[in-house]
Coordinates of all heavy atoms in Angstrom, one line a residue:
N1 N 6.1 132.3 51.7 CA 4.9 132.8 50.9 C 4.1 133.6 51.9 O 3.0 133.2 52.2 CB 4.1 131.6 50.3 CG 4.9 130.7 49.6 OD1 5.5 131.1 48.5 ND2 4.9 129.4 49.8
P2 N 4.6 134.8 52.3 CA 3.9 135.6 53.3 C 2.5 136.0 52.8 O 1.6 136.4 53.7 CB 4.7 136.8 53.5 CG 5.6 136.9 52.2 CD 5.8 135.4 51.7
D3 N 2.2 136.1 51.5 CA 0.9 136.5 51.0 C -0.1 135.3 50.7 O -1.2 135.5 50.2 CB 1.1 137.3 49.7 CG 1.9 138.6 50.0 OD1 1.8 139.2 51.1 OD2 2.7 139.0 49.2
M4 N 0.4 134.2 51.1 CA -0.5 132.9 50.8 C -1.8 133.1 51.6 O -1.8 133.4 52.8 CB 0.3 131.7 51.2 CG -0.6 130.4 51.1 SD -0.9 130.0 49.3 CE 0.8 129.6 48.7
P5 N -2.9 132.9 50.9 CA -4.2 132.9 51.8 C -4.1 131.8 52.8 O -3.5 130.7 52.7 CB -5.2 132.5 50.7 CG -4.7 132.9 49.3 CD -3.2 132.7 49.6
R6 N -4.8 132.0 54.0 CA -4.7 131.1 55.0 C -5.3 129.8 54.7 O -4.9 128.7 55.2 CB -5.5 131.7 56.2 CG -4.9 132.8 56.9 CD -3.7 132.4 57.7 NE -3.9 131.6 58.9 CZ -4.4 132.0 60.1 NH1 -4.6 133.3 60.3 NH2 -4.6 131.1 61.1
V7 N -6.1 129.7 53.6 CA -6.7 128.4 53.2 C -5.8 127.7 52.2 O -6.1 126.7 51.7 CB -8.2 128.6 52.6 CG1 -9.1 129.0 53.6 CG2 -8.1 129.5 51.4
G8 N -4.7 128.4 51.8 CA -3.7 127.9 50.8 C -4.3 128.0 49.4 O -5.2 128.8 49.1
M9 N -3.6 127.3 48.5 CA -4.1 127.4 47.0 C -3.7 126.0 46.4 O -3.0 125.2 46.9 CB -3.5 128.5 46.3 CG -2.0 128.3 46.1 SD -1.3 129.6 44.9 CE -1.8 131.1 45.6
A10 N -4.5 125.7 45.3 CA -4.2 124.5 44.5 C -2.8 124.5 44.1 O -2.2 125.4 43.7 CB -5.2 124.5 43.3
R11 N -2.3 123.2 44.2 CA -0.8 123.0 43.9 C -0.5 123.5 42.5 O 0.4 124.1 42.2 CB -0.5 121.6 44.1 CG 1.0 121.3 43.9 CD 1.8 121.9 45.0 NE 3.2 121.4 45.1 CZ 4.1 121.8 45.8 NH1 3.8 122.6 46.9 NH2 5.4 121.5 45.8
A12 N -1.4 123.2 41.6 CA -1.2 123.5 40.1 C -1.0 125.0 39.9 O -0.1 125.5 39.2 CB -2.3 123.0 39.3
D13 N -1.9 125.8 40.6 CA -1.8 127.3 40.5 C -0.5 127.8 41.2 O 0.1 128.7 40.6 CB -3.0 127.9 41.2 CG -4.3 127.6 40.6 OD1 -4.3 127.2 39.4 OD2 -5.4 127.6 41.2
Y14 N -0.2 127.2 42.3 CA 1.1 127.6 43.0 C 2.3 127.3 42.1 O 3.2 128.2 42.0 CB 1.2 126.8 44.3 CG 2.4 127.1 45.0 CD1 2.7 128.3 45.7 CD2 3.5 126.2 45.0 CE1 3.9 128.6 46.3 CE2 4.7 126.4 45.7 CZ 4.9 127.6 46.4 OH 6.1 127.9 47.0
V15 N 2.3 126.3 41.4 CA 3.5 125.9 40.6 C 3.7 126.8 39.4 O 4.8 127.2 39.2 CB 3.3 124.4 40.1 CG1 4.3 124.1 39.0 CG2 3.7 123.4 41.3
I16 N 2.5 127.1 38.9 CA 2.5 128.2 37.8 C 3.1 129.5 38.3 O 4.0 130.3 37.7 CB 1.3 128.3 37.2 CG1 0.9 127.1 36.4 CG2 1.2 129.5 36.2 CD1 -0.5 127.0 35.8
R17 N 2.6 129.9 39.5 CA 3.0 131.3 40.0 C 4.5 131.2 40.4 O 5.2 132.3 40.3 CB 2.1 131.6 41.2 CG 2.5 132.9 41.9 CD 1.7 133.1 43.2 NE 0.3 133.4 42.9 CZ -0.6 133.9 43.8 NH1 -0.2 134.0 45.1 NH2 -1.8 134.1 43.4
K18 N 4.9 130.1 41.0 CA 6.3 130.1 41.6 C 7.4 129.8 40.6 O 8.4 130.4 40.6 CB 6.2 129.0 42.7 CG 7.5 128.9 43.5 CD 7.6 129.9 44.6 CE 8.7 129.7 45.6 NZ 8.7 130.7 46.7
F19 N 7.0 128.8 39.6 CA 8.1 128.3 38.8 C 7.8 128.7 37.3 O 8.6 128.4 36.5 CB 8.2 126.9 38.9 CG 8.5 126.4 40.3 CD1 7.6 125.7 41.1 CD2 9.8 126.7 40.9 CE1 7.9 125.4 42.4 CE2 10.1 126.3 42.1 CZ 9.1 125.6 43.0
G20 N 6.6 129.2 37.0 CA 6.3 129.5 35.6 C 5.7 128.4 34.9 O 5.4 128.5 33.6
G21 N 5.7 127.2 35.4 CA 5.1 126.0 34.7 C 5.5 124.7 35.4 O 6.5 124.7 36.2
E22 N 4.8 123.7 35.0 CA 5.0 122.3 35.5 C 6.3 121.8 35.2 O 6.9 121.1 36.0 CB 3.9 121.5 35.0 CG 3.9 120.1 35.6 CD 3.6 120.0 37.1 OE1 2.7 120.8 37.4 OE2 4.2 119.2 37.8
E23 N 6.9 122.0 34.0 CA 8.1 121.4 33.6 C 9.3 121.8 34.4 O 10.1 120.9 34.9 CB 8.3 121.7 32.1 CG 9.6 120.9 31.5 CD 9.5 119.5 31.8 OE1 8.4 118.9 31.6 OE2 10.6 118.9 32.1
R24 N 9.4 123.1 34.7 CA 10.4 123.5 35.5 C 10.4 123.0 36.9 O 11.5 122.7 37.5 CB 10.5 125.1 35.4 CG 11.6 125.7 36.3 CD 11.9 127.2 35.9 NE 13.0 127.7 36.8 CZ 12.7 128.6 37.7 NH1 11.5 129.1 38.0 NH2 13.7 129.1 38.4
A25 N 9.2 122.9 37.4 CA 9.0 122.5 38.8 C 9.3 121.0 38.8 O 10.0 120.5 39.8 CB 7.6 122.7 39.3

């Protein structure tokens, strides 16, 4: 995740961005 902010992000937001939703993750 080279564009990840240095402070990171909330896991829920990351899961949506990465996998499209909680169920797939």
Side-chain angles (χ1 to χ4, degrees):
N1 307 304
D3 299 324
M4 177 68 71
R6 288 289 291 277
V7 295
M9 67 168 56
R11 185 70 172 182
D13 295 337
Y14 174 76
V15 163
I16 290 172
R17 176 186 292 190
K18 187 82 170 180
F19 304 109
E22 184 68 38
E23 184 54 39
R24 183 161 173 252

